[in-house]
Every structure is written in structure tokens, then in C-alpha cells.
Amino acid sequence: MSNTSIIASTILATAILATGVALPVQASAKGWIEKVQVEKDGIDVQPIHVSAKIGGYTGIKTKSHKFLLGLYARATNGERIVAMKLGSFKGVLYFEGDGNLWSRSFTNRDVGAGSKRTVSIHHDATLPMNKIAWHGPDPKASCDHNLAQMMKQGMTKRQVLSQPREAKAYAYFELDAVAARKGKAKSGKWNLGNTSNQRDSYLYEVRVVCGSGNNKVGG
């Protein structure tokens, strides 16, 4: 990783911690791709619920979450987008396996069968909790952090857990786009050796509801 990339990553992380706002990480143009972007595409009103019992928060109650995502890629003049791959982990590459990590590939008709310079897709991705890569604390850890902060401000654990509280968590997504020369794209004779790829990443903000322990909660 270049010094410029390291500095940019540090600035991004500092901004997130300071503001609590999820910011897209734009990738630079590379090879035969002018732009690739993944971002939230729609209003996500569904929260992730975290349960509470005596002593604090116990775990993530929600089993899965639907992410509303917009996927975009534009090739340079003379090339066409032939494939894209979305994943919830760092290092997403179309031509590499993912092991047990979550990903979704888009080829053929999904991207216009090699006929489009620009491809734009809306994709609703429903992921189980154990397949989501979190940037920073996961939902339970976000609730724990919120609890600690409120107790530092003078509230007792009983007071904090007496009613639901809200927090935020950030799911991490990457999109890898692949472009080929028009001839190769049209004939379908493209592969790792005659294509170029570029990635973008995004921190997707999710609303978290930290549950109430009701009268079972100790002070």
C-alpha cells in the first residue's frame, strides 16, 4: 500500500470516529475502468436488535439484515464491463475464491453480456449476521460502548437498560469491477489475463436498537 493510501485510510478512520458518519471510500481510476462505486441505494429503516438481560447486553437478536445497495461501473472508451463482484470483506476480487465469506457475482445478462460501457445495478443483499464484516464495533459492541458512555455521564446501568436505546454500526462492502476490450467482451473470450479490474468500498450505516432489560436489570 502506498503512503498516500495509508494517509487517506487514516483520515477516513479519524473522520468516522469523530463524526459517526459512514463515508464512501472512493477508489482511483485504474486501467480500463473510469469509475467503480458501491453505496447505499434507498432508505433502510430496519434496525438490528440487540437483546439485554441482567448485567448488560447479551447478543444480537436479529438473524439477518437486508442491505439496499447500488452498484456502478464505467469502462474507458473502447472497453466494456464484463463482470462485477460484491462482497462483505476486504480484498474482494472477481477472479479469486472467497472461502466462507459472503459475495455475489454479476456476469453475462447481469452486466449486459459484455455490451455495456456503463453498468448500474440495484441489489438487495440479505446477509446473516455471521456473514457481515463490520467496520469498527459490531451492533452488540456498539450498544456496550453506548452503555459505558452513558454511565460515564452519571447514569446507572439500571437507568440505561430500563428502556431501549439507539446506536449505529457500519457494515463493510467492496465491489470489484472487471473490464475487457470490446472484441473480447462481445465474444465472451475474456479472462484474468486480458482484463483490468478496479475496486471501491463503502461503509453502510445501520441503525441499532439496544434492548431493554426491564425490571430484571440490576443497578
Side-chain angles (χ1 to χ4, degrees), residues 121-132:
I121 299 173
H122 173 87
H123 181 64
D124 291 343
T126 300
L127 277 67
M129 287 296 117
N130 65 351
K131 296 295 184 179
I132 301 171

Side-chain angles (χ1 to χ4, degrees), residues 128-200:
M129 287 296 117
N130 65 351
K131 296 295 184 179
I132 301 171
W134 298 103
H135 183 88
D138 66 19
K140 179 186 177 298
S142 293
C143 290
D144 289 337
H145 176 75
N146 187 56
L147 171 61
Q149 291 299 109
M150 296 183 79
M151 290 178 68
K152 283 182 180 180
Q153 294 171 10
M155 296 181 69
T156 66
K157 184 180 291 185
R158 181 186 185 91
Q159 288 173 327
V160 177
L161 296 173
S162 66
Q163 61 184 5
R165 308 283 178 176
E166 288 208 2
K168 296 176 182 178
Y170 299 92
Y172 181 86
F173 288 96
E174 276 191 7
L175 177 67
D176 186 41
V178 181
R181 295 286 190 187
K182 284 194 294 185
K184 296 291 185 181
K186 184 176 180 180
S187 66
K189 296 179 180 179
W190 53 270
N191 52 50
L192 176 61
N194 58 26
T195 56
S196 178
N197 75 296
Q198 179 62 23
R199 287 179 291 174
D200 182 45

Side-chain angles (χ1 to χ4, degrees), residues 27-219:
S28 301
K30 179 182 178 182
W32 296 337
I33 297 180
E34 286 185 357
K35 183 179 180 180
V36 56
Q37 184 173 21
V38 53
E39 61 183 355
K40 183 182 289 187
D41 186 21
I43 301 174
D44 187 348
V45 298
Q46 294 299 320
I48 290 178
H49 292 272
V50 172
S51 56
K53 288 185 179 179
I54 296 174
Y57 300 107
T58 58
I60 301 174
K61 186 177 181 180
T62 301
K63 302 301 181 183
S64 63
H65 188 80
K66 182 167 71 174
F67 296 92
L68 314 178
L69 294 165
L71 316 177
Y72 177 89
R74 178 175 173 81
T76 53
N77 190 29
E79 283 70 47
R80 297 293 182 265
I81 299 297
V82 292
M84 295 196 295
K85 184 175 183 179
L86 173 70
S88 184
F89 59 95
K90 292 185 178 181
V92 173
L93 290 171
Y94 177 80
F95 288 105
E96 290 191 7
D98 306 328
N100 197 36
L101 303 173
W102 181 88
S103 71
R104 168 75 162 83
S105 294
F106 302 86
T107 56
N108 300 318
R109 291 183 180 179
D110 294 331
V111 295
S115 65
K116 293 184 177 182
R117 181 181 173 189
T118 299
V119 173
S120 182
I121 299 173
H122 173 87
H123 181 64
D124 291 343
T126 300
L127 277 67
M129 287 296 117
N130 65 351
K131 296 295 184 179
I132 301 171
W134 298 103
H135 183 88
D138 66 19
K140 179 186 177 298
S142 293
C143 290
D144 289 337
H145 176 75
N146 187 56
L147 171 61
Q149 291 299 109
M150 296 183 79
M151 290 178 68
K152 283 182 180 180
Q153 294 171 10
M155 296 181 69
T156 66
K157 184 180 291 185
R158 181 186 185 91
Q159 288 173 327
V160 177
L161 296 173
S162 66
Q163 61 184 5
R165 308 283 178 176
E166 288 208 2
K168 296 176 182 178
Y170 299 92
Y172 181 86
F173 288 96
E174 276 191 7
L175 177 67
D176 186 41
V178 181
R181 295 286 190 187
K182 284 194 294 185
K184 296 291 185 181
K186 184 176 180 180
S187 66
K189 296 179 180 179
W190 53 270
N191 52 50
L192 176 61
N194 58 26
T195 56
S196 178
N197 75 296
Q198 179 62 23
R199 287 179 291 174
D200 182 45
S201 61
Y202 184 71
L203 307 182
Y204 188 115
E205 182 181 293
V206 178
R207 186 165 67 95
V208 178
V209 174
C210 308
S212 165
N214 297 319
N215 295 328
K216 298 179 181 179
V217 179

